[in-house]
């Protein structure tokens, strides 16, 4: 395979005009034979780079096997990386995702010469271009990029931390194509099997995964449920999405809240004349609409939901404070009685507050319901014969 030629081209990917390719980019490499030459990479192909120590002078082929490191961890430092990605990263951090997609796309187009270098920043830019389109909700533009040679090379050129997100991007591109049955099949492996107690759940749990991935699967599954008319299940996943994405994923959060309001507005109980039946769905609808108005103040709430964008009434429940227990007397022989009087021998008292006489060896006697203490002489119950013997 020949090295990529450094011709000047203007490419158009996803409707975005991109700048021309660069001829060479400064880099430092670490050779296994020794030395860390600085120079310029002028091209790349699987397993090798075209490297020159002098700008503008045709380089020579250097095998990746001659460079220190294993797998994707090759000692190749591309000097332009931070500077070239700076504007695109700034737009991404500011949630200006369409501008970020444009800037990342320009990097991809300009730096084709490094695409076969492990963990190169052109492949990284391609990942973030696609991710920016996803976060902007431009799902239909993702498939063309994923199917491009650069998009297909991301799996082999980028590290493990990108793998799961690339898989998700592919599912989003399916969603962008509108095939909900295929989306349902794609997300099925990420759900726990429905067995045992799991069969009692309204919807299957997701397998353990980072929250950043969970909210995406929850949104996709909500869309699947909604397409099948399973509104209650869709609502649960929409609630999960905007509860977990308060500080990030603004597009998904906004879409989930909007979709949940649409579904809740279809609840016939909202129009019920029975105030008790109307109360719960009304408060739920108000909660989401009010949350939307505060979460996205720059976005006008749809006209049909404006009446609900008020803080819902909250029932006030008065809690009766329990009386704290009486402190123990200073001698530590027991708690003080309710009337503030204590028996000197620590004997229990009856309901009327009278102290029961002490039993043998200073033990307190039991108290009967009438408040009369019955002295105890031994462990055996007294019989009539015992009474007669006692009289003799």
């Amino acid at each position: 395979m020949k090295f990529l030629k450094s011709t000047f081209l203007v490419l158009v990917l996803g409707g975005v005009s991109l700048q021309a390719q660069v001829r060479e980019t400064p880099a430092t490499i670490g050779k296994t034979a020794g030395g860390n030459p600085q120079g310029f990479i002028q091209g790349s192909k699987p397993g090798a780079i075209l490297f020159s120590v002098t700008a503008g002078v045709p380089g020579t082929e250097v095998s990746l096997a001659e460079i220190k490191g294993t797998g994707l961890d090759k000692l190749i430092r591309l000097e332009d990386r931070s500077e070239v990605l700076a504007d695109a990263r700034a737009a991404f951090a500011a949630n200006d995702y369409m501008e970020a997609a444009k800037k990342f796309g320009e990097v991809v187009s300009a730096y084709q010469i490094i695409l076969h270098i492990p963990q190169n920043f052109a492949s990284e830019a391609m990942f973030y271009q696609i991710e920016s389109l996803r976060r902007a909700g431009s799902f239909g533009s993702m498939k063309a990029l994923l199917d491009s040679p650069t998009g297909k090379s991301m799996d082999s050129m980028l590290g493990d931390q990108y793998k799961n997100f690339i898989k998700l991007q592919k599912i989003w591109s399916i969603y962008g194509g509108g095939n909900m049955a295929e989306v349902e099949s794609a997300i099925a492996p990420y759900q726990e099997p429905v067995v045992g107690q799991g069969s009692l759940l309204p919807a299957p749990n997701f397998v353990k995964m980072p929250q950043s991935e969970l909210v995406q699967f929850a949104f996709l599954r909500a869309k699947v449920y909604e397409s099948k008319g399973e509104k209650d299940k869709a609502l649960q996943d929409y609630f999960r999405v905007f509860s977990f994405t308060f500080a990030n994923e603004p597009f998904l959060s906004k879409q989930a809240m909007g979709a949940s309001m649409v579904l809740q507005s279809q609840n016939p109980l909202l129009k019920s004349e029975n105030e008790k039946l109307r109360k719960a769905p009304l408060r739920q609808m108000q909660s989401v609409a009010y949350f939307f108005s505060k979460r996205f103040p720059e976005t006008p709430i749809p006209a049909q939901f404006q009446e609900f964008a008020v803080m819902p009434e909250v029932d006030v429940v008065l809690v009766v404070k329990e009386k704290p227990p009486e402190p123990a007397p200073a001698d530590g022989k027991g708690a003080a009685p309710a009337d503030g009087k204590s028996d000197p021998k620590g004997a229990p008292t009856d309901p009327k507050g009278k102290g029961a006489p002490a039993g043998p060896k200073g033990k307190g006697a039991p108290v009967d319901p009438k408040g009369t203490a019955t002295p105890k002489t031994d462990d055996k119950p007294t019989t009539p014969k015992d009474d007669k013997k006692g009289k003799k």
Side-chain angles (χ1 to χ4, degrees):
M1 179 183 291
K2 295 182 179 180
F3 289 98
L4 295 171
K5 295 181 182 290
S6 302
T7 55
F8 287 91
L9 300 172
V10 176
L11 304 180
V12 177
L13 290 177
V16 180
S17 179
L18 308 176
Q19 68 185 43
Q21 291 185 36
V22 298
R23 293 171 180 257
E24 57 189 19
T25 184
T28 301
I29 63 175
K31 288 194 170 184
T32 55
N36 299 292
Q38 293 180 321
F40 300 86
I41 292 178
Q42 299 172 339
S44 65
K45 67 179 183 180
I49 60 173
L50 190 63
F51 186 77
S52 174
V53 294
T54 306
V57 176
T60 58
E61 181 175 327
V62 178
S63 170
L64 292 183
E66 299 176 51
I67 300 174
K68 294 177 182 178
T70 58
L72 295 178
D73 297 321
K74 287 293 180 179
L75 191 55
I76 303 175
R77 188 176 68 184
L78 299 166
E79 305 291 349
D80 284 343
R81 185 186 207 106
S82 297
E83 183 179 349
V84 169
L85 294 173
D87 290 345
R89 286 173 170 172
F92 188 87
N95 297 337
D96 189 357
Y97 293 120
M98 289 308 294
E99 178 66 13
K102 175 184 175 183
K103 294 293 185 184
F104 281 122
E106 290 173 354
V107 175
V108 176
S109 175
Y111 285 86
Q112 296 284 303
I113 59 173
I114 64 173
L115 281 176
H116 294 287
I117 296 175
Q119 304 197 70
N120 69 85
F121 63 79
S123 292
E124 181 183 343
M126 171 60 85
F127 170 84
Y128 280 104
Q129 181 187 9
I130 297 170
E131 184 67 9
S132 296
L133 291 173
R134 181 192 72 77
R135 295 195 181 204
S138 185
F139 308 116
S141 304
M142 296 170 65
K143 183 173 173 54
L145 295 177
L146 285 165
D147 289 343
S148 69
T150 308
K152 289 180 179 179
S153 71
M154 289 192 300
D155 268 329
S156 59
M157 289 294 106
L158 297 178
D160 290 342
Q161 67 269 33
Y162 293 91
K163 305 297 186 186
N164 288 341
F165 289 103
I166 293 173
K167 291 178 182 178
L168 263 168
Q169 289 176 347
K170 292 176 181 178
I171 299 176
W172 279 109
S173 72
I174 297 171
Y175 171 73
N179 191 334
M180 299 309 295
E182 194 173 347
V183 172
E184 184 175 16
S185 298
I187 66 175
Y190 298 91
Q191 299 177 143
E192 291 184 347
V194 181
V195 294
Q197 293 295 323
S199 61
L200 302 177
L201 297 174
N205 281 328
F206 288 106
V207 298
K208 188 175 181 180
M209 66 179 74
Q211 185 174 305
S212 56
E213 298 173 31
L214 174 63
V215 293
Q216 296 184 52
F217 281 112
F219 186 90
L220 288 164
R221 191 172 71 175
K223 287 298 183 183
V224 170
Y225 282 142
E226 191 174 357
S227 70
K228 296 165 66 175
E230 300 181 52
K231 297 179 181 180
D232 289 340
K233 292 182 179 180
L235 272 175
Q236 289 183 5
D237 276 335
Y238 283 136
F239 289 159
R240 181 179 283 111
V241 171
F242 64 73
S243 297
F244 288 164
T245 58
F246 183 77
N248 52 35
E249 292 277 8
F251 178 82
L252 289 189
S253 183
K254 184 183 294 187
Q255 292 298 310
M257 276 190 268
S260 70
M261 284 190 285
V262 171
L263 291 178
Q264 289 178 91
S265 67
Q266 298 169 2
N267 189 338
L269 293 179
L270 274 177
K271 300 178 181 179
S272 174
E273 296 181 359
N274 187 321
E275 186 176 348
K276 290 184 177 180
L277 294 177
R278 185 170 178 262
K279 187 176 182 181
L282 175 62
R283 289 187 179 180
Q284 184 169 291
M285 182 71 178
Q286 288 174 336
S287 297
V288 178
Y290 181 72
F291 183 26
F292 185 97
S293 69
K294 297 300 180 183
R295 174 69 176 87
F296 304 105
E298 76 288 350
T299 303
I301 194 167
Q304 67 268 36
F305 304 137
Q306 288 179 356
E307 64 176 294
F308 301 108
V310 296
M311 183 179 290
E313 294 182 6
V314 179
D315 292 328
V316 179
V317 179
L318 298 178
V319 179
V320 180
K321 294 184 178 180
E322 295 184 2
K323 186 177 180 182
E326 294 289 341
D331 60 4
K333 292 184 178 180
D339 60 0
K341 298 177 181 180
S342 60
D343 184 86
K345 295 183 180 179
T349 57
D350 63 12
K352 295 181 180 180
K354 297 180 180 181
K361 298 182 181 179
K363 296 181 180 177
V367 181
D368 66 14
K370 295 181 179 180
T372 306
T374 305
K376 184 177 178 182
T377 57
D378 54 40
D379 294 333
K380 296 181 180 181
T382 304
T383 63
K385 289 183 179 181
D386 292 332
D387 289 341
K388 290 180 181 180
K389 291 178 181 179
K391 290 180 181 179
K392 290 180 182 180

